[in-house]
Amino acid sequence: ASLRQEEAPAAGPAPEAAEPKGKALPAAERVRPATPDDLEFRPGTLVLVTDEATGQRYAVFTYVVVNKTARTQRFTPRFELLTGEGRLLVGGSAVPPAAAVRIRRAASGPRSLDQFQIMGDIAVGEANAKEGVVIFPAAGDLKDLTLFVSGMSMAFDFVTDPATGAPVNDPKSGRPAVVRRSWSRHYSIPGVSDPRESPEARFDVTKDAWVMR
């Protein structure tokens, strides 16, 4: 089975899979931690690929996380991709295991871990950095995308009713609802109705932000 990447031609073949035909998005060197106690996050690429075994499209995001704090930190990330039409895609959700294996081999490095494998403690230092890959089922309008990543920071806050100030419970769990510090980046594929026809997606690092959500 093979993958077809839906941007410009790649430089060379990927191991055990067809050559991803696309140019990776330019990567920012790192995201400045919101506080000295937060993990350092280095976003890599966001590309669109097609799993030729099934014809299903996926968005694939790569990154590196490093612990530059004074102690071992727990990393429990969550990745969400908001489409231009308001659809929220959750990383790793509705991705068949066999397709995930093919995509990781073709679109990420051999050391890359998915969002479940990477969960756990990260020791201090550059030598203990971990590479990650997240796969989203591509659905809906993908011309404009906003990526939200949480798990680098332990900061959170309780949701309150703006009128009364009383805590608000999560409708699913019945427990007090919380918002967590998340990093966000907006990606755009301008001027096309189908992102598969676009040679390059763009982002503006000046619009990156830490948000509570």
Side-chain angles (χ1 to χ4, degrees):
S2 59
L3 297 175
R4 184 176 68 255
Q5 186 166 313
E6 299 166 355
E7 298 184 349
E16 301 183 39
E19 177 181 351
K21 301 175 182 176
K23 184 176 70 174
L25 303 182
E29 290 186 1
R30 64 195 64 195
V31 174
R32 179 175 295 179
T35 76
D37 294 325
D38 293 343
L39 294 169
E40 183 176 283
F41 187 74
R42 301 175 186 173
T45 62
L46 178 65
V47 295
L48 297 171
V49 302
T50 296
D51 178 17
E52 292 187 346
T54 62
Q56 175 65 45
R57 290 190 301 158
Y58 297 93
V60 183
F61 176 68
T62 60
Y63 65 94
V64 174
V65 62
V66 187
N67 184 0
K68 294 293 187 69
T69 71
R71 59 185 177 83
T72 297
Q73 298 278 6
R74 187 79 174 172
F75 186 45
T76 54
R78 180 176 176 85
F79 300 84
E80 296 174 313
L81 199 59
L82 182 66
T83 71
E85 60 189 2
R87 182 179 299 191
L88 193 64
L89 308 175
V90 179
S93 177
V95 180
V101 170
R102 290 190 293 268
I103 292 166
R104 282 203 305 272
R105 287 175 176 170
S108 63
R111 296 176 54 195
S112 292
L113 306 172
D114 67 28
Q115 70 273 17
F116 305 112
Q117 295 169 330
I118 206 169
M119 286 183 179
D121 291 339
I122 299 183
V124 175
E126 195 74 35
N128 298 305
K130 292 186 178 182
E131 299 177 18
V133 58
V134 189
I135 305 170
F136 303 86
D141 180 1
L142 301 179
K143 296 189 299 296
D144 292 287
L145 300 167
T146 303
L147 176 68
F148 295 99
V149 184
S150 62
M152 294 89 75
S153 173
M154 297 300 292
F156 71 94
D157 201 357
F158 291 102
V159 178
T160 58
D161 187 308
T164 65
V168 175
N169 288 338
D170 185 298
K172 293 183 179 180
S173 67
R175 299 176 180 176
V178 298
V179 288
R180 302 186 184 279
R181 182 180 288 146
S182 303
W183 173 77
S184 67
R185 168 171 288 177
H186 176 72
Y187 295 86
S188 63
I189 307 178
V192 295
S193 58
D194 187 337
R196 290 175 297 180
E197 300 173 2
S198 175
E200 184 176 356
R202 298 181 175 88
F203 62 85
D204 182 353
V205 295
T206 65
K207 296 181 180 179
D208 291 359
W210 286 99
V211 298
M212 300 296 287
R213 63 186 299 274

